[in-house]
Amino acid sequence: MNLIFLGPPGAGKGTQAKRICDKYNLTQIATGDILREHLKNETGLGKKAREYIDAGNLVPNDLIIDMMRYEIEKNRSKGGYLLDGFPRTVTQAEALDELLNDLNDKIDVAIVLNVPNSELMARLTGRRVCPSCGTSYHLIFNPPANEGVCDHDGEELFQRKDDNEETVNNRLEVYTKETKPIITYYEKQGLAHHVDGVGTVDEIFNLINEGIDSFVNN
Ligand code: ADP
Ligand code: ADP
């Protein structure tokens, strides 16, 4: 089974992706996490991508498509995967279809997490992330058991540089302009399943599971 998670920054894609991957034994392929590794390791891609990420703009399609071709080919031998944060433009969605076609592979369902902008700002500015395992917490909505450290590995949490109000505003605009149109792209293929992303993490997890079951078992 191969899944896509769509939705604006802060919708809860990463939070839910980790749980869904555990449940169905999928590999999470999160473009943002992969790009931040490239930044940290100062690879060629990392050097090219930094200015876009810091400003909350999308990294150019050709760089992302090359990166994802490599990641999908690398991970598919392990079984199913969950794409978190890709595709983010119609050009990327078309490139993904071509790649899947070449690999004789397919997407089973695209889960669309819907959350209003007013809630997204609060979620993103209060987000804190584990540098080691990537788990997202929230200062108020989803705090760790011990303040400032990850429940899983005790690492000190940090705030992403792009989770400030100004950059978040730009990321939300970029989402509306460039990413939202791909929801229609997947609706036309009969692959989109909308989920209300407001509620507790458990409630949303259950809705996503129902959505997956309705696509995969029919
Ligand atoms: P995305 O990967 O879509 O950007 P995250 O999973 O990182 O989103 O979640 C963004 C922020 O919102 C994090 O601080 C996370 O702890 C918090 N969060 C996730 N799910 C919920 C929820 N259902 N209600 C409130 N806050 C949430
Ligand atoms: P969020 O969890 O808030 O949705 P991500 O971690 O997925 O954010 O992405 C962080 C940044 O990485 C984006 O603002 C963008 O600059 C870059 N990025 C991630 N995925 C893509 C993509 N598919 N295409 C272009 N840029 C991307």
Side-chain angles (χ1 to χ4, degrees), residues 50-91:
R50 185 181 293 279
E51 60 170 309
Y52 298 97
I53 295 174
D54 285 351
N57 292 321
L58 294 182
V59 176
N61 283 323
D62 52 344
L63 296 178
I64 295 289
I65 291 165
D66 284 349
M67 177 182 101
M68 290 306 281
R69 184 176 298 123
Y70 171 79
E71 294 291 337
I72 290 173
E73 287 182 353
K74 185 175 80 180
N75 284 297
R76 67 194 283 270
S77 59
K78 299 180 196 159
Y81 45 83
L82 188 163
L83 301 178
D84 168 8
F86 175 85
R88 254 169 152 109
T89 62
V90 172
T91 305

Side-chain angles (χ1 to χ4, degrees), residues 34-45:
I34 298 166
L35 285 166
R36 282 185 289 277
E37 272 301 303
H38 279 278
L39 254 58
K40 200 170 84 188
N41 297 327
E42 298 188 333
T43 65
L45 172 59

Side-chain angles (χ1 to χ4, degrees), residues 5-17 28 36 84-85 88 113 115 119-120 122-129 134-143 160 163 171 196-204:
F5 269 20
L6 291 174
K13 299 183 296 297
T15 302
Q16 298 293 342
Q28 181 187 1
R36 282 185 289 277
D84 168 8
R88 254 169 152 109
L113 279 175
V115 176
E119 167 109 10
L120 294 171
R123 284 192 187 187
L124 289 167
T125 51
R127 171 159 68 183
R128 298 292 183 273
V129 185
T135 300
S136 274
Y137 297 88
H138 191 280
L139 291 177
I140 297 158
F141 307 144
N142 185 23
R160 274 170 47 179
D163 278 347
R171 285 158 64 199
D196 180 357
V198 180
T200 67
V201 170
D202 284 342
E203 283 164 355
I204 297 160

Side-chain angles (χ1 to χ4, degrees), residues 3-210:
L3 307 179
I4 296 179
F5 269 20
L6 291 174
K13 299 183 296 297
T15 302
Q16 298 293 342
K18 287 211 170 353
R19 294 174 151 225
I20 294 290
C21 285
D22 282 348
K23 175 169 175 184
Y24 293 94
N25 203 15
L26 304 175
T27 304
Q28 181 187 1
I29 307 182
T31 30
D33 291 347
I34 298 166
L35 285 166
R36 282 185 289 277
E37 272 301 303
H38 279 278
L39 254 58
K40 200 170 84 188
N41 297 327
E42 298 188 333
T43 65
L45 172 59
K47 285 180 190 154
K48 288 181 196 153
R50 185 181 293 279
E51 60 170 309
Y52 298 97
I53 295 174
D54 285 351
N57 292 321
L58 294 182
V59 176
N61 283 323
D62 52 344
L63 296 178
I64 295 289
I65 291 165
D66 284 349
M67 177 182 101
M68 290 306 281
R69 184 176 298 123
Y70 171 79
E71 294 291 337
I72 290 173
E73 287 182 353
K74 185 175 80 180
N75 284 297
R76 67 194 283 270
S77 59
K78 299 180 196 159
Y81 45 83
L82 188 163
L83 301 178
D84 168 8
F86 175 85
R88 254 169 152 109
T89 62
V90 172
T91 305
Q92 291 180 15
E94 289 168 350
L96 174 63
D97 275 349
E98 263 178 50
L99 171 65
L100 294 175
N101 203 27
D102 289 349
L103 299 173
N104 209 5
D105 216 349
K106 68 176 173 56
I107 295 299
D108 294 281
V109 49
I111 298 288
V112 185
L113 279 175
N114 295 307
V115 176
N117 277 9
S118 51
E119 167 109 10
L120 294 171
M121 180 57 82
R123 284 192 187 187
L124 289 167
T125 51
R127 171 159 68 183
R128 298 292 183 273
V129 185
C130 173
S132 171
C133 68
T135 300
S136 274
Y137 297 88
H138 191 280
L139 291 177
I140 297 158
F141 307 144
N142 185 23
N146 296 309
E147 197 183 324
V149 294
C150 181
D151 293 349
H152 305 299
D153 46 37
E155 289 282 328
E156 197 174 326
L157 306 179
F158 77 104
Q159 180 171 29
R160 274 170 47 179
K161 198 176 167 192
D162 58 345
D163 278 347
N164 66 78
E165 206 170 318
E166 188 190 346
T167 313
V168 168
N169 270 324
N170 187 46
R171 285 158 64 199
L172 295 176
E173 272 180 40
V174 168
Y175 174 78
T176 305
K177 234 190 308 179
E178 307 206 44
T179 307
K180 243 186 161 173
I182 67 173
I183 296 175
T184 318
Y185 182 89
Y186 288 107
E187 282 172 348
K188 282 187 184 152
Q189 296 189 21
L191 288 177
H193 180 81
H194 287 264
V195 168
D196 180 357
V198 180
T200 67
V201 170
D202 284 342
E203 283 164 355
I204 297 160
F205 179 69
N206 290 335
L207 292 174
I208 295 172
N209 275 304
E210 284 169 23

